[in-house]
Amino acid sequence: MKLAVIGAGAVGSSVVELASDHGHSVTAFADSSSAVIDSAGVDTAAVLDRKRTDGVVGGGAPEDALSAEYDVLVEATPTTLGDAEPGFGHIQAALERDRHAVLANKGPVAERYADVRALERESEGSVLFEATVGGAMPILSTIDDFDPSHITAVRGVLNGTANFILSRMATEGLDYEHVLAEAQDLGVAEADPTFDVDGTDAALKGVIIANVLSDDETEYTLDDAEVTGIQEISGSALELARADGRTVRLIAEVVEGSVRVGPRLVPDNAPLAVSGTRNIAQLETEHAGQLNISGRGAGGPETASAVLADIGRL
Amino acid sequence: MKLAVIGAGAVGSSVVELASDHGHSVTAFADSSSAVIDSAGVDTAAVLDRKRTDGVVGGGAPEDALSAEYDVLVEATPTTLGDAEPGFGHIQAALERDRHAVLANKGPVAERYADVRALERESEGSVLFEATVGGAMPILSTIDDFDPSHITAVRGVLNGTANFILSRMATEGLDYEHVLAEAQDLGVAEADPTFDVDGTDAALKGVIIANVLSDDETEYTLDDAEVTGIQEISGSALELARADGRTVRLIAEVVEGSVRVGPRLVPDNAPLAVSGTRNIAQLETEHAGQLNISGRGAGGPETASAVLADIGRL
C-alpha cells in the first residue's frame, strides 16, 4: 500500500520507519511545517535523518501531503479535543478522495465519531483506529471480531503514565509529586502530564470504546464521561490499600452506555493490577466469559504496530 | 452465511445454537450417525432438542451434509492424529467445492498443515482455525494482524484441564491422583484425560502456532514437539516451589522453530501463573514488546465464539 503519513512525532516516524518492512511504501510524509512527497516512495531513512538533524521532513508544504498519491492516509498528529482539527480535516480529505484513513489520533473518533462514520458511509474508503486505544494491544479488533453486540462491558488500565505513577507510589511508598517528577525525568510522563493524570486520556479511550460498542446508534464524546484523576491519591491511601491486599489503579469502565474513569481499589494479584507502564483491557463477552489483553499501551513502535496491523486489515 | 456444521459435540452444538444470533443460517448439521439438511435453514432449536432427547440430529446420513448447500463448512469433529481423518476429508470436500472451512478440530492443521494449505491454494475458499488454539482467545488472529514474521516467540498455558489440576494441587496441597479424580467429577477433566495431562493437547496447539509462524516454509507435526506431561508432578515439588514464591505450570513454548511443552517453574504472581481452567498466551513481538492474552481456553460457547469470529472474518 502507498501511505501518506501525517504527523512526524514518535508514532508517525515509527510508521515511516517500519513501513517497508511490512511491504508498504511511504509516498507522502508531513510534519506541522513541511512535507516530502514522492509517488515512487520516499527514501525513509534519509527523511527520518533529516527530521532528526534539521527538524523538517522535506521542502514541501504540509498540505501537499493531502493531495499526494496514496492508498491509506495515516493520521498521527496530536490528539485535539472539540472539533478535533486538524486531524478531522485530514481524514475528511482522504475519505472524500475514496482513500482509507488509519488513525493514531484519538480526537476524531472520540469527539466526532458520528461525523467520521457519516463521511465513511459516503466514501469507498474505510476508517480504522486500533492504535487509538491501548497501543499495540488488539482491543478494537477483538471487539470487532466478537461483534460489538456480544460484548457487555470493557474495563481496563488504559493510561501507562498514570499506572506508572500509581505503581511506583505503592511499591516505593513515595508521594505523588515525587513520583511524577521522576516519571518526567524518565520520559514516562510528558512535561505537561495533565491529560494523563487527570484521566482525560483514559476517558478518550473509554469514549472510543463506547462509540465502537454502540456504533451508529448513540455518539459519545468526552463530555459524556465521568472522570476523576489520580492527583489527589495520597501515599497513605495506597498504604491502607496495601494493608488490605489491594492497590489503587486508574480504571476506565465502559458499561451499558456509560463511560467512567477514576481511581479504584483492585486486589494486588488481580489482572487489573498491571504494574509500570503496562495497560490491560478486560472484555466481558456474552458467550465466552472474560478476555484479558495486556501489553504496552503506548510508545512509537508499539502504536505504529497497531497502525500497520490496521493497514494490513485493509 | 450458510453453515454446514459437522460434529455435534459441545462446540458444534454451540455454533448451531449461536449462529442465527450472528446473522447466519445452518443449512446442514451432522453428527457421527445422522444429519439434517435444509437449504432454507434448519430449525436449530428443534434439532438441538432432538439431539438431546433422541441422540441424533436428523434422518439423513452424515455424508449428506458435505454435499449440502453452504458457504462455510464448520469442522467440529473430535481431533484425531496422523491422517487427521475424517476431519481432513471434510475440509477437502469443502475446499474442492470452493467453499470456506472453519476448524475447531486441531488434527488437520497440527498433523497435515501443508496438505491443508495446498488444498486452500487450489480453492476459492479459505481455511481459518482460531478455535483450535485457546478457545475464545484471539491468538491466531493477533499473530496474523502483526504478521507472523514480526512475532519472535509464543509461550503459554494452553490446556485448562492440566492447569486446573496444577492450580488445585498447589493451593490445596493435594496430590495428582486426588485432584484428577475431583476434576473428572466436576467435568473439567474427561473420563480419559490422557491428552490433557500428558501434554499432547497443549503440544498440538503449539504445533499449530509453529505452523502459522513459519507458514509455508516448514511444516510441523506432533512428532516435532518435545513433550512432557504433568503426571509425575508431586505435591512436594509444588510445596518446594511455593516456598520459593513460585508455582508449576504446564507451559507450551514456540521459539525459533521448536515446540516444547512441559512443566516449568513460574513466579507466583507472573502472568503465566493463571489459575483454574484459564489459559494465557504471551506473544513476543519484534516492535511492540510482549502481548498477553488470557481467557477461557475451552468450552462449547467459548470455542464456538472463535468459530463465529472466523466466519465473521470471511
Side-chain angles (χ1 to χ4, degrees), chain A residues 6-26:
Chain A
I6 316 296
V11 177
S13 296
S14 287
V15 171
V16 168
E17 189 175 347
L18 300 174
S20 67
D21 202 23
H22 286 73
H24 310 300
S25 65
V26 176

Side-chain angles (χ1 to χ4, degrees), chain B residues 65-198:
Chain B
L66 299 177
S67 48
E69 189 183 328
Y70 63 83
D71 303 306
V72 183
L73 181 133
V74 176
E75 206 338 285
T77 65
T79 294
T80 53
L81 306 184
D83 65 6
E85 293 291 2
F88 183 84
H90 299 158
I91 299 164
Q92 182 169 21
L95 290 171
E96 286 179 353
R97 287 178 60 196
D98 290 326
R99 302 296 190 272
H100 303 298
V102 170
L103 283 63
N105 173 354
K106 292 179 278 293
V109 277
E111 295 284 65
R112 299 183 67 182
Y113 189 74
D115 290 339
V116 170
R117 287 300 193 204
L119 287 170
E120 190 188 31
R121 275 193 299 274
E122 299 296 312
S123 173
E124 302 282 308
S126 297
V127 180
L128 290 176
F129 44 92
E130 179 68 81
T132 61
V133 181
M137 297 153 59
I139 300 173
L140 302 182
S141 60
T142 300
I143 291 174
D144 191 48
D145 283 346
F146 272 82
D147 194 303
S149 65
H150 299 292
I151 304 287
T152 54
V154 178
R155 271 180 204 86
V157 169
L158 299 178
N159 183 279
T161 303
N163 203 66
F164 176 89
I165 293 172
L166 291 173
S167 304
R168 286 284 292 169
M169 284 174 71
T171 55
E172 305 298 322
L174 298 169
D175 66 20
Y176 173 76
E177 298 299 337
H178 185 106
V179 176
L180 173 58
E182 181 198 58
Q184 287 171 317
D185 282 349
L186 289 169
V188 167
E190 294 175 57
D192 178 359
T194 312
F195 279 7
D196 294 316
V197 300
D198 76 0

Side-chain angles (χ1 to χ4, degrees), chain A residues 70-73 94-101 123-126:
Chain A
Y70 63 83
D71 303 306
V72 182
L73 180 133
L95 290 172
E96 286 179 354
R97 287 178 61 196
D98 291 325
R99 301 296 192 273
H100 303 297
S123 172
E124 303 281 308
S126 297

Side-chain angles (χ1 to χ4, degrees), chain A residues 61-221:
Chain A
E63 54 273 23
D64 295 348
L66 299 177
S67 48
E69 189 184 329
Y70 63 83
D71 303 306
V72 182
L73 180 133
V74 175
E75 209 331 293
T77 65
T79 294
T80 54
L81 306 184
D83 67 4
E85 293 291 2
F88 183 86
H90 299 158
I91 298 165
Q92 182 168 21
L95 290 172
E96 286 179 354
R97 287 178 61 196
D98 291 325
R99 301 296 192 273
H100 303 297
V102 170
L103 284 62
N105 173 355
K106 293 178 278 292
V109 277
E111 294 285 62
R112 298 183 68 182
Y113 190 73
D115 290 340
V116 170
R117 287 299 193 202
L119 287 170
E120 191 188 30
R121 274 193 298 275
E122 299 296 311
S123 172
E124 303 281 308
S126 297
V127 180
L128 290 176
F129 43 94
E130 179 68 80
T132 62
V133 181
M137 296 153 60
I139 300 174
L140 302 182
S141 60
T142 300
I143 291 174
D144 191 47
D145 282 345
F146 273 82
D147 192 302
S149 66
H150 299 292
I151 304 285
T152 54
V154 178
R155 271 179 204 87
V157 169
L158 299 179
N159 184 278
T161 303
N163 203 66
F164 176 88
I165 293 171
L166 290 174
S167 304
R168 286 285 292 169
M169 286 174 70
T171 55
E172 306 297 322
L174 299 168
D175 66 18
Y176 173 78
E177 298 299 339
H178 184 107
V179 176
L180 173 58
E182 181 197 59
Q184 288 170 317
D185 283 348
L186 290 170
V188 168
E190 293 174 58
D192 179 0
T194 311
F195 280 5
D196 294 317
V197 299
D198 76 0
T200 300
D201 176 74
L204 288 168
K205 293 165 182 168
V207 164
I208 293 169
I209 292 170
N211 278 325
V212 169
L213 290 183
S214 83
D215 215 353
D216 296 329
E217 292 166 29
T218 320
E219 180 190 37
Y220 296 86
T221 69

Side-chain angles (χ1 to χ4, degrees), chain B residues 7-308:
Chain B
V11 176
S13 296
S14 288
V15 171
V16 168
E17 189 176 347
L18 300 173
S20 68
D21 202 23
H22 287 73
H24 309 301
S25 65
V26 176
T27 51
F29 182 32
D31 60 14
S32 58
S33 67
S34 71
V36 55
I37 318 283
D38 187 338
S39 60
V42 304
D43 177 344
T44 56
V47 166
L48 292 170
D49 204 46
R50 188 185 312 146
K51 174 72 182 169
R52 269 187 295 268
T53 52
D54 305 342
V56 294
V57 297
E63 53 273 22
D64 295 349
L66 299 177
S67 48
E69 189 183 328
Y70 63 83
D71 303 306
V72 183
L73 181 133
V74 176
E75 206 338 285
T77 65
T79 294
T80 53
L81 306 184
D83 65 6
E85 293 291 2
F88 183 84
H90 299 158
I91 299 164
Q92 182 169 21
L95 290 171
E96 286 179 353
R97 287 178 60 196
D98 290 326
R99 302 296 190 272
H100 303 298
V102 170
L103 283 63
N105 173 354
K106 292 179 278 293
V109 277
E111 295 284 65
R112 299 183 67 182
Y113 189 74
D115 290 339
V116 170
R117 287 300 193 204
L119 287 170
E120 190 188 31
R121 275 193 299 274
E122 299 296 312
S123 173
E124 302 282 308
S126 297
V127 180
L128 290 176
F129 44 92
E130 179 68 81
T132 61
V133 181
M137 297 153 59
I139 300 173
L140 302 182
S141 60
T142 300
I143 291 174
D144 191 48
D145 283 346
F146 272 82
D147 194 303
S149 65
H150 299 292
I151 304 287
T152 54
V154 178
R155 271 180 204 86
V157 169
L158 299 178
N159 183 279
T161 303
N163 203 66
F164 176 89
I165 293 172
L166 291 173
S167 304
R168 286 284 292 169
M169 284 174 71
T171 55
E172 305 298 322
L174 298 169
D175 66 20
Y176 173 76
E177 298 299 337
H178 185 106
V179 176
L180 173 58
E182 181 198 58
Q184 287 171 317
D185 282 349
L186 289 169
V188 167
E190 294 175 57
D192 178 359
T194 312
F195 279 7
D196 294 316
V197 300
D198 76 0
T200 301
D201 176 74
L204 288 168
K205 293 165 182 168
V207 164
I208 293 170
I209 292 170
N211 278 325
V212 168
L213 290 183
S214 85
D215 215 351
D216 295 328
E217 290 166 33
T218 319
E219 181 191 35
Y220 296 86
T221 69
L222 189 58
D223 281 345
D224 300 307
E226 194 185 312
V227 189
T228 312
I230 62 164
Q231 306 100 314
E232 308 296 323
I233 305 286
S234 65
S236 58
L238 285 162
E239 260 174 59
L240 270 173
R242 188 185 197 169
D244 194 32
R246 300 197 276 179
T247 191
V248 176
R249 287 291 180 266
L250 183 68
I251 303 294
E253 273 188 298
V254 184
V255 189
E256 290 172 6
S258 85
V259 179
R260 293 190 307 163
V261 173
R264 305 275 184 265
L265 280 169
V266 298
D268 252 342
N269 55 358
L272 284 175
V274 284
S275 62
T277 59
R278 286 184 77 83
N279 283 198
I280 181 167
Q282 299 191 313
L283 276 53
E284 302 289 346
T285 72
E286 195 181 356
H287 303 300
Q290 186 186 81
L291 279 174
N292 294 344
I293 301 173
S294 69
R296 296 188 194 163
E302 292 82 355
T303 308
S305 291
V307 167
L308 290 159

